[in-house]
């Protein structure tokens, strides 16, 4: 990727107050997109809609993510995610980082989400977390957009098994002192052009 033309974004949850983030300045400061946590399993994040409304008001492309948990069924979680994800420009990401998840549950979530929305979800994970869940087992998700977590100054992230490229890269938790003073904030970049991001959101 051309480092001179990075398409930058960030992601939030209830740990970042919607009122504390300088959404009105985000685009001016070089941010193009934002992901907000929709739910922990089927338990909705209390700040989700406020983050989404503020981000969209100031022209950011918005997506959601759902932290998948083993104590709720895959189908119930996918149904909740699909109900919201179908209306978000960047859709919904499935957050796969809970070590107790089973591959069959992740597979079932993806199948149900696709059935309900007709759209590909994004898979959020890291190389180590994916290995913890799938343990080297082959899967068919490598064609889905990947949002990879890898906090490094390297030119490219460590990739989970099954993917040859990433779509989004969560590369830092250092935050931005202007965007959210004194608080942690995950920073991301898009692996492509602004035009391609716009098409992804269409």
């Amino acid at each position: 990727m051309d480092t001179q033309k990075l398409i930058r974004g960030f992601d939030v949850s209830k740990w970042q107050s919607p009122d504390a983030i300088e959404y009105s300045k985000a685009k001016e400061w070089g941010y193009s997109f934002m992901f907000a946590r929709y739910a922990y399993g089927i338990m909705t994040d209390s700040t989700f809609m406020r983050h989404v409304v503020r981000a969209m008001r100031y022209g950011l492309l918005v997506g959601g993510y759902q932290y998948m948990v083993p104590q709720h069924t895959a189908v119930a979680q996918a149904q909740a995610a699909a109900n919201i994800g179908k209306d978000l420009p960047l859709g919904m990401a499935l957050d796969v980082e809970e070590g107790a998840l089973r591959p069959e549950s992740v597979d079932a979530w993806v199948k149900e989400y696709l059935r309900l929305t007709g759209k590909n979800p994004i898979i959020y994970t890291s190389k180590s977390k994916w290995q913890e869940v799938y343990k080297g087992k082959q899967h068919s998700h490598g064609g889905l957009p990947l949002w990879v977590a890898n906090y490094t100054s390297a030119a490219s992230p460590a990739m989970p098994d099954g993917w040859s490229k990433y779509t989004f890269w969560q590369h830092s938790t250092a935050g931005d002192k202007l965007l959210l003073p004194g608080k942690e904030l995950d920073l991301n970049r898009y692996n492509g052009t602004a035009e391609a991001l716009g098409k992804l959101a269409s």
Side-chain angles (χ1 to χ4, degrees):
M1 187 195 307
D2 184 350
T3 57
Q4 300 303 309
K5 298 179 180 179
L6 289 177
I7 310 299
R8 301 196 299 155
F10 57 95
D11 62 270
V12 297
S13 69
K14 68 177 183 179
W15 304 112
Q16 293 84 29
S17 168
D19 299 320
I21 294 178
E22 294 283 357
Y23 277 110
S24 64
K25 299 287 187 178
K27 290 204 74 172
E28 178 183 333
W29 292 336
Y31 292 95
S32 299
F33 65 91
M34 183 276 285
F35 281 93
R37 187 174 75 171
Y38 163 61
Y40 181 88
I42 59 173
M43 299 168 58
T44 305
D45 190 311
S46 60
T47 63
F48 173 74
M49 283 307 303
R50 289 167 60 207
H51 276 300
V52 167
V53 168
R54 286 180 61 79
M56 294 182 76
R57 178 185 302 161
Y58 294 107
L60 296 177
L61 293 174
V62 173
Y65 71 95
Q66 179 185 51
Y67 186 99
M68 192 176 192
V69 297
Q71 55 265 43
H72 301 151
T73 69
V75 169
Q77 291 179 79
Q79 289 171 345
N83 189 47
I84 296 295
K86 61 182 174 59
D87 295 322
L88 296 176
L90 294 177
M92 188 67 69
L94 177 63
D95 185 337
V96 180
E97 59 179 305
E98 178 62 60
L101 290 172
R102 295 180 302 145
E104 295 79 11
S105 295
V106 177
D107 297 346
W109 188 100
V110 170
K111 181 178 179 180
E112 180 69 0
Y113 186 90
L114 278 167
R115 184 185 73 82
L116 292 171
T117 66
K119 298 179 179 180
N120 284 332
I122 299 164
I123 300 294
Y124 169 92
T125 195
S126 67
K127 179 179 177 67
S128 61
K129 291 299 183 181
W130 191 260
Q131 174 63 26
E132 194 173 340
V133 173
Y134 273 81
K135 298 178 174 58
K137 178 182 177 182
Q138 289 190 337
H139 62 87
S140 59
H141 307 315
L144 298 178
L146 172 67
W147 178 12
V148 61
N150 184 211
Y151 314 126
T152 175
S153 59
S156 58
M159 297 287 285
D161 292 341
W163 278 273
S164 60
K165 64 178 182 179
Y166 66 91
T167 301
F168 297 97
W169 176 12
Q170 187 186 74
H171 62 90
S172 173
T173 60
D176 182 317
K177 292 179 181 179
L178 292 175
L179 195 62
L180 183 61
K183 298 287 186 179
E184 288 189 355
L185 184 69
D186 295 332
L187 301 180
N188 299 269
R189 59 187 58 162
Y190 172 68
N191 188 17
T193 65
E195 181 182 10
L197 181 62
K199 288 180 178 179
L200 182 66
S202 63

